[in-house]
Amino acid sequence: MVDKVRLGIIGLGTQGGMYAKMIDEGLVPNMVIGAITDRDPAKREFAQSTYADVPVYEDYLEMLESGDVDAVVTTVPHFLHPEMGIAALSRGIHALVEKPAGVYTKQVKELNEFAATKPELTFGIMFNQRNNPLYQRIKEIVESGEIGKIRRTNWLITTWWRPQGYYDQSAWRATWGGEGGGVLVNQVPHQLDLLQWICGVPESVFAKVAYGFRRNIAVEDEVTVVLDYGDGATGVLVTATHDIIGTDRFEILGDKGKIIVDDSKTATVHRLVRDEREISDTMSMEEVKQLFMGKQDTEALYTTETIEYTRPWGAQHSGVLENFAANILDGTPLLAPGSDGINGVRLANAIHLSSWTGQEVPLDLDEDRYLEELNTRIRSEGKFPERV
Amino acid sequence: MVDKVRLGIIGLGTQGGMYAKMIDEGLVPNMVIGAITDRDPAKREFAQSTYADVPVYEDYLEMLESGDVDAVVTTVPHFLHPEMGIAALSRGIHALVEKPAGVYTKQVKELNEFAATKPELTFGIMFNQRNNPLYQRIKEIVESGEIGKIRRTNWLITTWWRPQGYYDQSAWRATWGGEGGGVLVNQVPHQLDLLQWICGVPESVFAKVAYGFRRNIAVEDEVTVVLDYGDGATGVLVTATHDIIGTDRFEILGDKGKIIVDDSKTATVHRLVRDEREISDTMSMEEVKQLFMGKQDTEALYTTETIEYTRPWGAQHSGVLENFAANILDGTPLLAPGSDGINGVRLANAIHLSSWTGQEVPLDLDEDRYLEELNTRIRSEGKFPERV
């Protein structure tokens, strides 16, 4: 067994370039850059001159078969993640796919099904925000039952303002055929993952999605969703790319408490002394009267804890790379198994489909219908091939 | 012209009792208690002993015809507001109805239509929160166009925790036949009004409503609504009576700014230097790059003002009484014209209907269908007569 994983980076764009730099600077102790692939000659030249000893390829399949890499990361447009993941795994190469795992569930299912036939290989996904200790702690609190069964979730997350120039940077961006969506596939996938990682998978969604609302783009720049978790539990998710004064506020209300997360930095955890229903049922008429006269203090019914962590932002990505490599080297459990990637894609697909049909859509959605609707939009856009 | 309006109070419950006390203590300088009506002998006895010179009636129609009152306030169960309002106006008595104006739009329309035939009489509604200077200021800011055209609204308002004992206080409470709903007709009508008073009337709603979710009641204790204002503008409204650690957070995002109201006490008003779309469209590629490298400061793009008022809570109700009397006495414009009451009722009806049908419902809803659905619930409850 080698002591360092040789990572092949497919696509030296913003993300791929950042990972290369992190590994080169030693931020991922159990990883080295095995090779780099990019179809753009300028990027290859840059790679060659920056990382002198690293082999550089034009074709990623050639890199996969070179013997230079033990694993790859797919920092390429979203549509390509599944096929590249499968190509790597089928050649005995470990695969770390970028988020989102793909654009539509059908292609992600293929990836997951193929990966399941290769249990000896490591299959991960870059959900770096799972590496945020604040969200890890919140997941622990929720899973331990400290705030009880979840009643509702509310996440307003609009802290990613994107001016028109961002969308005009490249031809594939914010197109149906090149990117497969807007804020749902580009900015919010981490929250789609965290929400389900912490609070579970909803049963259905109803969504209002605004396409090219305040930007000159074909895809969505604003999303409003009602989530139904079943058994009376509900939630709301709101996101947009046109809010300069962004809001990031996440509330989780449970039978025994409430967590309020501000700016993904501070969590205020309120723990009730008993189950809320029990407090409600056992309060005497006299106490209820006192309450309405302002003489009963509800604050005596719960404790409040504030949780804050300070940690460099970059450590999230390098942490996922390190955890992925550790899983390969010694079986350390994966923080973000690749097969989890389908949850966010499925939720995004259901949200799109609900907005297109004006109906509530089950998470167990009609995948053929989704792909058909997506292809209708790709066709009328006329810039990229339809998807199968 | 008399210099003080003689108010007849119909129903000496919690609200009626509070208004009597306020007027008696001189908090409403242009009003005196003209008479009091209550069907409960104990309440009449209390009235007699507390307000010695005030005539007390068992039957409100007798009071209306006694010559003792110039105006009435209807502090009685919601269903009764329209018929009592009409009874007063038809006898030349000014009418101030309690909120909500009624339970279903059909009955409120009758009231509004009748009131329109009596323009010489004053017809008001107790929307005391319109008297909150914070919301008045916010309305001014929105109407002046300072934050531009509204893009979205988000109101999470769960600051009215109601234990089971509250619901068990009386037989009509939280029933379909006695009250006509739960949090939508009892707690949130002020917000249903303020939201539309400040931000306009939505075109349609989709709602998830939980009936007896965490309380042993037939009606709703939790509501989640997506509002569609048309032209791409949307909103979310969430309310519940089972959240001890209540949240009250209202955000209004416009083309030129954003207002965040916390706890109905503090408003943070962000004003953009220019229309957001213009900022977005004119930002150069270089500036976009700087932004992503964290070198562009978006805070330079807006100013921030914090608005806070301190004012006694009770002044809201006495202020509405005083404004209503002033309108009678000298034509001072009404802060809350009675005809505005239909907006909140219509929104509440649309929310109920959406939850019952699982469909998005236009605000111009099928009123017969609503009443039919309501009566179905009253019938199966079997405690109160159906409504016509």
Side-chain angles (χ1 to χ4, degrees):
Chain A
M1 178 61 78
V2 294
D3 65 344
K4 294 204 184 203
V5 169
R6 298 170 305 157
L7 184 74
I9 297 170
I10 313 179
L12 202 65
T14 313
Q15 289 302 111
M18 180 171 88
Y19 302 159
K21 196 158 179 279
M22 281 174 174
I23 298 167
D24 185 58
E25 286 174 357
L27 296 176
V28 188
N30 53 4
M31 208 172 239
V32 293
I33 308 175
I36 291 171
T37 292
D38 206 294
R39 292 171 61 185
D40 177 356
K43 293 273 173 64
R44 289 200 299 278
E45 202 172 308
F46 171 81
Q48 205 76 77
S49 64
T50 314
Y51 309 109
D53 301 333
V54 173
V56 176
Y57 293 89
E58 179 175 356
D59 178 358
Y60 86 100
L61 293 173
E62 213 180 302
M63 177 178 82
L64 290 178
E65 287 170 359
S66 67
D68 290 334
V69 301
D70 306 309
V72 290
V73 62
T74 64
T75 44
V76 292
H78 325 311
F79 275 116
L80 299 172
H81 300 159
E83 71 179 72
M84 289 188 172
I86 291 171
L89 294 167
S90 69
R91 286 164 179 84
I93 308 281
H94 308 280
L96 177 64
V97 294
E98 250 305 326
K99 62 87 200 169
V103 170
Y104 49 99
T105 49
K106 274 188 92 165
Q107 62 166 187
V108 180
K109 268 191 185 161
E110 276 174 38
L111 169 61
N112 281 2
E113 280 162 15
F114 188 82
T117 68
K118 303 282 178 185
E120 73 282 9
L121 295 174
T122 296
F123 169 42
I125 182 162
M126 182 53 84
F127 281 143
N128 52 288
Q129 295 200 17
R130 286 195 182 185
N131 219 13
N132 180 334
L134 186 68
Y135 285 116
Q136 289 181 350
R137 180 75 187 107
I138 290 168
K139 182 177 165 67
E140 255 177 43
I141 292 171
V142 170
E143 285 188 344
S144 70
E146 285 173 60
I147 64 159
K149 190 169 173 340
I150 290 178
R151 292 181 177 187
R152 47 178 308 113
T153 64
N154 296 294
W155 204 336
L156 263 66
I157 169 84
T158 63
T159 46
W160 27 60
W161 183 65
R162 296 289 183 270
Q164 188 63 41
Y166 162 82
Y167 290 111
D168 296 342
Q169 278 179 104
S170 46
W172 60 271
R173 207 178 275 280
T175 59
W176 289 113
E179 189 159 17
V183 65
L184 283 171
V185 300
N186 197 309
Q187 284 79 29
V188 88
H190 288 297
Q191 282 66 29
L192 297 183
D193 176 61
L194 290 175
L195 183 63
Q196 297 180 93
W197 189 51
I198 296 169
C199 303
V201 176
E203 288 182 0
S204 64
V205 296
F206 176 87
K208 284 269 171 186
V209 178
Y211 299 96
F213 176 44
R214 287 295 187 268
R215 293 294 179 268
N216 185 23
I217 53 175
V219 297
E220 74 281 358
D221 52 353
E222 184 180 286
V223 174
T224 306
V225 193
V226 176
L227 308 151
D228 191 328
Y229 294 97
D231 213 8
T234 49
V236 162
L237 175 73
V238 172
T239 189
T241 58
H242 58 68
D243 180 6
I244 293 185
I245 310 115
T247 292
D248 179 3
R249 189 177 161 106
F250 180 26
E251 293 198 9
I252 310 171
L253 177 67
D255 279 346
K256 294 176 69 179
K258 185 170 178 175
I259 303 174
I260 300 171
V261 191
D262 282 298
D263 298 318
S264 293
K265 279 182 196 150
T266 313
T268 310
V269 183
H270 301 282
R271 292 175 179 88
L272 296 176
V273 292
R274 281 172 298 152
D275 185 293
E276 189 276 335
R277 186 90 193 237
E278 211 184 304
I279 295 174
S280 161
D281 285 349
T282 56
M283 188 169 269
S284 73
M285 225 58 132
E286 193 46 48
E287 285 171 309
V288 174
K289 271 187 203 154
Q290 297 287 318
L291 181 75
F292 276 79
M293 292 161 69
K295 289 175 185 164
Q296 173 88 7
D297 187 7
T298 54
E299 288 183 22
L301 300 172
Y302 55 86
T303 62
T304 301
E305 180 197 5
T306 305
I307 302 173
E308 256 176 318
Y309 291 92
T310 45
R311 190 163 154 163
W313 180 253
Q316 288 190 8
H317 291 96
S318 60
V320 172
L321 292 171
E322 188 175 343
N323 170 261
F324 173 72
N327 181 271
I328 295 170
L329 296 170
D330 62 23
T332 298
L334 273 183
L335 180 66
S339 54
D340 282 10
I342 198 159
N343 291 344
V345 177
R346 192 171 46 203
L347 185 49
N349 286 185
I351 292 169
H352 269 143
L353 196 54
S354 172
S355 83
W356 294 335
T357 61
Q359 300 291 319
E360 195 167 358
V361 167
L363 267 273
D364 176 23
L365 60 104
D366 182 341
E367 302 184 314
D368 292 320
R369 173 81 192 275
Y370 180 82
L371 191 52
E372 201 183 297
E373 292 280 348
L374 176 64
N375 276 324
T376 302
R377 283 157 184 80
I378 293 176
R379 245 192 331 273
S380 71
E381 189 173 62
K383 293 181 194 168
F384 298 88
E386 290 179 44
R387 303 286 164 175
V388 286
Chain B
M1 177 62 79
V2 296
D3 66 341
K4 293 204 184 202
V5 169
R6 297 169 305 155
L7 185 74
I9 297 170
I10 312 178
L12 202 66
T14 313
Q15 289 302 112
M18 180 170 92
Y19 302 160
K21 196 160 180 280
M22 280 176 175
I23 297 168
D24 186 58
E25 287 175 354
L27 295 177
V28 188
N30 53 2
M31 209 172 239
V32 292
I33 308 176
I36 291 171
T37 292
D38 206 296
R39 294 169 60 183
D40 178 356
K43 292 272 171 66
R44 289 202 298 279
E45 203 173 305
F46 171 81
Q48 206 75 79
S49 64
T50 313
Y51 308 109
D53 302 332
V54 173
V56 175
Y57 294 88
E58 180 176 354
D59 178 358
Y60 86 100
L61 292 174
E62 214 181 302
M63 177 178 81
L64 290 179
E65 287 169 359
S66 65
D68 290 336
V69 302
D70 307 310
V72 291
V73 62
T74 63
T75 44
V76 292
H78 325 310
F79 274 116
L80 300 172
H81 300 159
E83 71 179 71
M84 290 189 170
I86 290 171
L89 294 167
S90 69
R91 286 164 177 83
I93 309 282
H94 308 281
L96 177 64
V97 295
E98 250 304 326
K99 61 87 201 171
V103 170
Y104 49 100
T105 49
K106 273 188 92 164
Q107 60 166 189
V108 180
K109 267 190 185 163
E110 276 173 39
L111 170 60
N112 282 0
E113 280 162 15
F114 188 82
T117 69
K118 303 282 178 186
E120 71 283 9
L121 295 174
T122 297
F123 169 41
I125 183 162
M126 183 52 85
F127 281 143
N128 52 287
Q129 295 201 20
R130 287 196 184 185
N131 220 12
N132 180 333
L134 187 68
Y135 285 117
Q136 290 181 350
R137 180 75 188 108
I138 290 168
K139 182 176 165 66
E140 256 176 42
I141 292 171
V142 169
E143 285 188 347
S144 71
E146 286 174 59
I147 65 159
K149 190 171 174 336
I150 290 177
R151 293 180 177 188
R152 46 179 309 115
T153 65
N154 296 295
W155 204 335
L156 263 65
I157 169 82
T158 63
T159 47
W160 25 60
W161 184 64
R162 296 291 182 269
Q164 187 65 40
Y166 161 82
Y167 291 110
D168 297 342
Q169 278 180 105
S170 47
W172 59 271
R173 208 178 274 282
T175 59
W176 288 114
E179 188 158 18
V183 65
L184 282 172
V185 300
N186 198 309
Q187 285 77 29
V188 89
H190 289 297
Q191 282 66 30
L192 297 184
D193 176 61
L194 290 175
L195 183 62
Q196 297 179 93
W197 189 52
I198 297 169
C199 304
V201 175
E203 288 183 359
S204 64
V205 296
F206 176 88
K208 285 271 171 185
V209 178
Y211 299 97
F213 176 45
R214 287 294 188 269
R215 292 296 178 267
N216 184 23
I217 53 174
V219 296
E220 73 281 358
D221 52 353
E222 186 181 284
V223 174
T224 306
V225 192
V226 176
L227 308 151
D228 190 328
Y229 295 97
D231 212 10
T234 50
V236 162
L237 175 73
V238 172
T239 189
T241 58
H242 58 68
D243 180 7
I244 294 185
I245 310 115
T247 292
D248 179 3
R249 189 177 161 105
F250 181 25
E251 292 200 8
I252 309 171
L253 178 66
D255 279 347
K256 293 175 69 180
K258 185 172 181 175
I259 302 174
I260 301 171
V261 191
D262 282 299
D263 298 316
S264 293
K265 279 182 198 149
T266 312
T268 310
V269 183
H270 301 283
R271 292 174 179 88
L272 297 176
V273 292
R274 280 172 298 152
D275 185 293
E276 190 275 336
R277 186 88 192 240
E278 209 185 304
I279 295 174
S280 161
D281 284 350
T282 55
M283 189 169 266
S284 72
M285 223 61 134
E286 192 46 47
E287 285 171 309
V288 174
K289 270 188 203 154
Q290 297 287 317
L291 182 76
F292 277 78
M293 290 161 71
K295 289 176 187 166
Q296 174 89 7
D297 187 7
T298 55
E299 289 183 20
L301 299 173
Y302 57 86
T303 61
T304 301
E305 180 197 4
T306 305
I307 302 173
E308 256 176 320
Y309 291 92
T310 46
R311 188 163 158 163
W313 180 253
Q316 288 189 7
H317 290 95
S318 60
V320 172
L321 291 172
E322 189 176 341
N323 170 260
F324 173 71
N327 181 270
I328 294 170
L329 295 170
D330 62 21
T332 298
L334 274 181
L335 182 65
S339 55
D340 281 10
I342 198 159
N343 291 345
V345 177
R346 192 170 45 201
L347 185 49
N349 287 184
I351 292 168
H352 269 143
L353 197 54
S354 171
S355 83
W356 294 335
T357 61
Q359 300 291 319
E360 195 166 1
V361 167
L363 268 273
D364 176 22
L365 58 103
D366 183 340
E367 301 184 316
D368 293 318
R369 173 79 192 277
Y370 180 82
L371 190 53
E372 200 183 298
E373 292 280 347
L374 176 63
N375 275 324
T376 302
R377 283 157 184 82
I378 293 176
R379 247 192 330 273
S380 71
E381 190 174 60
K383 294 182 194 167
F384 297 89
E386 291 180 43
R387 303 286 165 175
V388 286

